[in-house]
Amino acid sequence: MHPDELLDLIDKENEARSRWKHTIHICTAAGCLSCRSDALKEAFDKEVAAKGLAEVCAVKGVGCMGTCNAGPMVRIEPGGIHYGPVAPEDVSEIVMSLDGDPISRLLCKESAVFSSRQHKIVLENSGIVDPERIEDYIASGGYTALSTALATMSPSDVIAHVVQSGLRGRGGAGYPTGLKWTTVAKTGSRRKYVVCNADEGDPGAFMDRSVLESDPHRVLEGMAIAAYAVSAFHGYLYVRAEYPLAIKRLAKAIRDAERHGLLGNNICGTTFKFGVQIRLGAGAFVCGEETSLISSIEGNRGAPRPRPPYPAEYGLWGHPTLINNVETFANIPPIIRNGGAWFAKTGTEKSKGTKVFAIAGRVNNTGLIEVPFGITLREIVFDIGGGIPEGRNFKAVQTGGPSGGCIPAEFLDMPVDYESLASVGSILGSGGLIVMDDTSCMVDVAKYFMEFSRSESCGKCLPCRTGTPQMYHILGRISEGGGTRYDVQLLEELCDLLKNTSLCGLGLSAPNPVVSTLRYFKDEYEAHILDKTCPAGVCAMASGRMVRQ
Amino acid sequence: MNESARIVTFKMDGREIGAREDETILQVATDNGIFIPTLCYLEGLSAMGGCRLCMVEVKETSKLVPSCVTYAREGMEVITNSERLAKYRIMLLELFFAERNHICAICVANGRCELQNLTVNLGMTHVHFPYFYPRVPVDASHERFVLDHNRCILCTRCVRVCAEIEGAHTLDVMTRGMDSRIITDLNQAWGSSVTCTRCGKCVNVCPTGALSEKGKAVADIAVKKQFLPYLTRMRRGKQ
Ligand SMILES: Cc1cc2nc3c(=O)[nH]c(=O)nc-3n(C[C@H](O)[C@H](O)[C@H](O)COP(=O)(O)O)c2cc1C
Ligand code: SF4
Ligand code: SF4
Ligand code: SF4
């Protein structure tokens, strides 16, 4: 598709849009679909047709609006009225009220506070465009970054913008994206690959899934721009098989993009070509680790190998490979559209842009949020999250999943960025954020994550393979009332060993939940060991019943 | 070996050492008579970096690096033995013992076992981690060999020799974490394997008593691993 044809298509879309007096947006991402938003959409379709409004009122399936715990969500434009939860019985009332006042009983309480502190770059289209229609994405400015890059920028110009943007990898480690692209671009090989890491193995995380379900073309566009920048002609999207809706939408998006000449040969009428294939992962956490992911795409056992050599130099089938996370790629189109300097205006000095978080746990508003770096934890938990339910006390927030740690109340006013979180013993990770109140037991939390690491360890290296079950058993003993002070010493020894000798990131960071709870909540460990009680009333002996002496 | 590899000089345990840039720290150390312990590495097989015993300190960084996959670099300073390394190595050995059922007194490899020898050499005297005592089977279905999972340390030497040298790829690893097991073909009894050529290479490289030959006296089954470098050299020469 030539840039002119893109413009024609945008005109046509806008003309169609201008005929609509009202648009009813219904969330069709997995969260709302699980509360039958598909039936809701059908009901709206029928009602609109029955009332003879089909000419002036559009019913549109869109992606995630973020307020997942109020689903199924409906938004009415113009007006930006958020309703949720909406039942099929409410449909006719909503359609009747389109020209009148909003229905107050259905208004989504969370949406106002939820959106006030947010800043959307990655999710700018989420809940707005129909993820299954490429025309909708294009009309919202999609693929202009790719066509502009191909028409007016050299690969090194593209990389210069990414470097200038200060974007860092959103998959966990926060490695500077521009630097990674530069390395891959500089390696002299005629065969290179671009890989999108959509494995998302962290328990409770659904940021990447949501982006793929809500705006799949954005990721494809980001990958194509990356391919142009590093001169790769082939790409893989590694998605876990547990994400069927994301996979279905991606497959359709790839087909549509190919049909419109935005993927495949002669992209945007130039000589540039880039093809993308989907690869399904069977759902092992370790397959998110980049060398494991490569091994899995190659058809081998998904186990990491020692790095260096890094994939940028020696990746898929031995060729230079650029691996980035879904959210990292999703940031690329706006960076190219608006320039690296524009992006760098948001965030802190070393952490630019925004971050998508999945906020869950003991907090009033759970769901998906996107906030600028530098926002404080307090703003996230108390303003956007709406505070702790039932008037209870905040205890800690767990970030970074099984590789992260628990951050206690004293750091609530700390700005959220890569360095700050690391300085208090946690990590930003991929964006899972679990809020805990005084009903959470920190020994139990540490045990939960150690159980995860233990069962997800690939078994290739000794310290992780046998160290994680050792730690899990010690934590189990403590939580059952059979722990001794010597157990704490053993735990500390094992944490140190794993942190220093494991082969890959899983084993290297598996001790973090234990280290951070020992650091900030040692008194809880002591209560379990010395007083044989669980202060939060979670563990076995809380009921006064001692399992082991 | 790459003919055009440059020569680098660096320090190892305070000694000035010259090496080719395509040699690993472990190879250089061995050539210079410096002992670095390892259980999964074997000359002639690809390195897997799994046992972590060969980790060494490098001056510029606080991170430890596995010497079997780290290449010598100009000007680097390597320390192959320190109090910190000794502590970790002993803990790693202890973890091996706690992981499966290593009962040396009744093991076919008693006296010629690399795991046992290392505990003596590195000064491990007892295991201070709880034992797991997992229930693991013995596969004695092969007419010539026995695979006793109780003694297996998952070094995958057998897997690599079978795939890389014999070219059969009969052996592999199944499941993950502590449940990892060496399997033959698609987890069938070894005796019914149609790919195994009965060459015995796997038995020859196993560092413990996990793989043994039936009906041989303990003293006769000394680990024979010299054949590997020889085979690789000869094959390369022919190409
Ligand atoms: C055990 C483990 C699991 C990981 N899982 C993921 C994952 O699910 N998704 C992801 O994007 N990165 C994951 N990573 C990080 C990747 O290895 C890699 O750093 C990332 O995909 C690079 O992309 P980025 O630079 O855009 O962040 C994982 C790392 C480790 C060690
Ligand atoms: S650290 Fe754990 S997951 Fe990583 S290679 Fe070692 S055993 Fe496998
Ligand atoms: S005997 Fe030879 S072919 Fe059979 S499993 Fe062992 S190494 Fe492989
Ligand atoms: S059977 Fe022997 S060679 Fe094979 S993995 Fe186990 S210990 Fe290593």
Side-chain angles (χ1 to χ4, degrees):
Chain A
M1 186 175 259
H2 284 272
D4 288 348
E5 293 172 285
L6 264 184
L7 293 177
D8 285 348
L9 200 149
I10 296 175
D11 287 344
K12 256 205 334 245
E13 251 326 270
N14 283 338
E15 198 196 307
R17 283 183 185 184
S18 66
R19 284 202 305 271
W20 310 124
K21 242 176 95 193
H22 303 283
T23 312
I24 303 171
H25 299 79
I26 298 144
C27 172
T28 55
C32 285
L33 270 184
S34 69
C35 343
R36 298 310 311 271
S37 66
D38 50 344
L40 192 65
K41 180 165 179 292
E42 251 173 58
F44 270 112
D45 277 329
K46 272 200 197 128
E47 184 69 19
V48 166
K51 291 254 160 58
L53 294 172
E55 287 292 306
V56 291
C57 177
V59 177
K60 192 164 156 186
V62 295
C64 181
M65 300 181 196
T67 42
C68 305
N69 64 334
M73 289 291 303
V74 171
R75 196 182 69 252
I76 312 287
E77 295 289 354
I81 303 159
H82 284 84
Y83 290 130
V86 179
E89 301 83 77
D90 305 322
V91 166
S92 92
E93 197 183 343
I94 293 177
V95 174
M96 294 272 281
S97 75
L98 282 178
D99 285 312
D101 290 334
I103 305 161
S104 56
R105 104 189 131 79
L106 290 176
L107 284 178
C108 174
K109 294 184 294 295
E110 287 87 355
S111 92
V113 270
F114 214 68
S115 48
S116 64
R117 293 292 172 92
Q118 295 198 45
H119 182 109
K120 298 205 170 173
I121 295 178
V122 171
L123 301 180
E124 60 183 343
N125 285 341
S126 191
I128 294 169
V129 303
D130 180 344
E132 300 192 7
R133 285 189 67 235
I134 189 172
E135 297 84 357
D136 211 22
Y137 179 68
I138 292 174
S140 306
Y143 286 112
T144 50
L146 176 63
S147 70
T148 315
L150 293 182
T152 65
M153 296 163 84
S154 69
S156 53
D157 292 341
V158 173
I159 294 180
H161 274 287
V162 178
V163 171
Q164 192 191 16
S165 74
L167 175 67
R168 296 169 67 172
R170 303 296 194 234
Y175 190 79
T177 307
L179 191 56
K180 200 186 263 185
W181 289 28
T182 310
T183 314
V184 179
K186 284 202 172 142
T187 51
S189 167
R190 286 181 41 228
R191 250 174 94 189
K192 293 181 192 173
Y193 295 95
V194 168
V195 174
C196 175
N197 187 344
D199 189 58
E200 195 161 61
D202 294 44
F206 58 95
M207 297 78 55
D208 293 348
R209 172 170 62 78
S210 191
V211 171
L212 295 173
E213 285 172 0
S214 306
D215 202 7
H217 284 287
R218 160 179 301 263
V219 180
L220 295 178
E221 186 180 2
M223 285 179 77
I225 294 170
Y228 173 66
V230 304
S231 15
F233 305 114
H234 201 81
Y236 288 97
L237 265 152
Y238 188 88
V239 195
R240 57 174 44 217
E242 284 101 323
Y243 286 179
L245 182 65
I247 293 163
K248 191 183 114 201
R249 289 192 176 153
L250 270 175
K252 178 165 196 310
I254 293 172
R255 273 199 314 276
D256 289 349
E258 282 170 352
R259 208 169 288 146
H260 285 78
L262 296 163
L263 281 181
N265 291 328
N266 302 110
I267 295 178
C268 296
T270 68
T271 55
F272 176 62
K273 61 173 182 183
F274 179 61
V276 181
Q277 274 182 307
I278 298 177
R279 279 285 183 277
L280 301 191
F285 179 54
V286 76
C287 285
E289 197 282 337
E290 51 194 21
T291 58
S292 239
L293 187 147
I294 286 172
S295 169
S296 176
I297 293 181
E298 289 172 350
N300 300 318
R301 186 176 157 83
R305 60 158 176 80
R307 306 171 309 165
Y310 291 91
E313 209 184 309
Y314 188 92
L316 269 174
W317 296 289
H319 301 285
T321 301
L322 176 75
I323 301 189
N324 276 127
N325 165 263
V326 171
E327 195 183 325
T328 313
F329 281 125
N331 270 303
I332 298 298
I335 287 176
I336 299 303
R337 234 184 295 131
N338 307 317
W342 163 83
F343 188 82
K345 279 195 290 205
T346 311
T348 65
E349 197 196 327
K350 287 189 178 157
S351 306
K352 300 294 184 196
T354 60
K355 179 78 195 86
V356 181
F357 287 103
I359 173 166
R362 301 288 296 165
V363 57
N364 280 313
N365 309 330
T366 58
L368 196 73
I369 61 170
E370 180 172 356
V371 290
F373 278 112
I375 192 172
T376 63
L377 281 171
R378 188 184 299 280
E379 287 172 285
I380 295 182
V381 175
F382 288 92
D383 296 346
I384 302 175
I388 316 294
E390 297 160 26
R392 289 193 167 272
N393 291 323
F394 171 90
K395 185 182 223 169
V397 43
Q398 209 279 346
T399 66
S403 320
C406 295
I407 303 173
E410 60 191 285
F411 299 116
L412 268 176
D413 291 309
M414 193 182 71
V416 172
D417 61 42
Y418 291 96
E419 277 75 26
S420 306
L421 293 196
S423 74
V424 298
S426 188
I427 59 163
L428 184 75
S430 58
L433 215 151
I434 301 163
V435 181
M436 291 178 276
D437 66 9
D438 46 21
T439 59
S440 308
C441 163
M442 302 318 262
V443 176
D444 190 60
V445 168
K447 192 178 100 187
Y448 168 80
F449 284 111
M450 201 45 71
E451 156 81 68
F452 181 83
S453 296
R454 175 191 76 115
S455 64
E456 293 296 326
S457 163
C458 83
K460 182 169 181 173
C461 76
L462 171 74
C464 169
R465 181 177 74 230
T466 73
T468 50
Q470 286 281 359
M471 287 166 73
Y472 170 70
H473 283 293
I474 297 171
L475 289 164
R477 197 157 62 230
I478 295 175
S479 73
E480 287 172 11
T484 63
R485 263 182 290 190
Y486 177 64
D487 282 332
V488 174
Q489 189 189 325
L490 263 187
L491 274 181
E492 282 168 345
E493 263 182 39
L494 284 163
C495 288
D496 180 56
L497 180 77
L498 264 67
K499 259 198 313 201
N500 284 293
T501 63
S502 297
L503 194 162
C504 87
L506 194 157
L508 291 168
S509 60
N512 286 355
V514 179
V515 173
S516 78
T517 47
L518 271 174
R519 180 162 159 193
Y520 299 117
F521 302 96
K522 201 156 194 173
D523 52 327
E524 288 195 29
Y525 281 86
E526 280 165 0
H528 285 78
I529 291 168
L530 302 177
D531 310 334
K532 309 288 178 206
T533 63
C534 172
V538 172
C539 296
M541 67 271 186
S543 53
R545 176 178 56 94
M546 257 182 263
V547 178
R548 273 197 254 168
Q549 268 288 350
Chain B
M1 221 181 262
N2 178 0
E3 295 304 329
S4 62
R6 286 207 327 258
I7 303 296
V8 292
T9 53
F10 68 106
K11 260 196 183 145
M12 195 182 277
D13 295 341
R15 270 165 64 183
E16 286 288 347
I17 285 185
R20 300 161 57 93
E21 64 175 357
D22 60 357
E23 283 181 295
T24 62
I25 295 174
L26 182 60
Q27 285 166 336
V28 180
T30 312
D31 289 349
N32 285 277
I34 294 173
F35 172 71
I36 300 178
T38 170
L39 282 170
C40 65
Y41 177 79
L42 199 55
E43 192 183 345
L45 299 180
S46 62
M48 62 100 76
C51 72
R52 315 309 279 170
L53 285 165
C54 77
M55 303 269 276
V56 294
E57 287 182 22
V58 176
K59 264 275 167 64
E60 309 86 89
T61 127
S62 61
K63 257 173 56 183
L64 303 178
V65 300
S67 61
C68 65
V69 288
T70 308
Y71 292 88
R73 254 185 304 108
E74 183 67 39
M76 84 196 303
E77 278 187 55
V78 179
I79 296 160
T80 68
N81 210 340
S82 65
E83 225 173 274
R84 178 174 173 220
L85 290 172
K87 183 185 83 181
Y88 289 152
R89 285 173 185 159
I90 287 183
M91 275 173 83
L92 289 169
L93 288 176
E94 288 182 37
L95 285 173
F96 270 130
F97 279 91
E99 180 181 25
R100 298 251 171 129
N101 308 305
H102 295 276
I103 303 158
C104 301
I106 54 156
C107 178
V108 289
N110 192 7
R112 59 150 191 92
C113 168
E114 292 183 39
L115 178 63
Q116 193 184 42
N117 289 344
L118 271 189
T119 60
V120 176
N121 285 341
L122 300 183
M124 185 202 104
T125 52
H126 64 285
V127 176
H128 80 296
F129 297 110
Y131 281 78
F132 286 113
Y133 298 117
R135 273 180 163 275
V136 271
V138 176
D139 182 352
S141 60
H142 197 280
E143 57 176 327
R144 285 182 54 200
F145 312 120
V146 181
L147 168 54
D148 181 353
H149 292 283
N150 289 287
R151 319 281 193 247
C152 175
I153 57 167
L154 294 169
C155 67
T156 74
R157 281 187 188 182
C158 56
V159 175
R160 285 172 286 152
V161 80
C162 183
E164 295 168 16
I165 306 292
E166 179 61 8
H169 209 143
T170 301
L171 300 164
D172 215 320
V173 185
M174 181 182 81
T175 69
R176 61 180 183 230
M178 276 266 288
D179 298 329
S180 299
R181 293 280 182 281
I182 296 294
I183 52 164
T184 40
D185 288 347
L186 296 170
N187 194 24
Q188 285 143 351
W190 197 0
S192 66
S193 166
V194 289
T195 58
C196 175
T197 64
R198 306 158 73 237
C199 69
K201 289 190 175 66
C202 52
V203 181
N204 284 328
V205 299
C206 181
T208 68
L211 286 168
S212 60
E213 208 162 331
K214 284 183 178 169
K216 279 229 172 151
V218 172
D220 297 344
I221 18 180
V223 174
K224 287 177 263 172
K225 36 186 195 190
Q226 306 80 347
F227 71 94
L228 280 177
Y230 173 76
L231 272 182
T232 10
R233 252 198 323 275
M234 294 314 282
R235 286 184 187 173
R236 222 179 263 130
K238 278 194 195 134
Q239 276 169 1

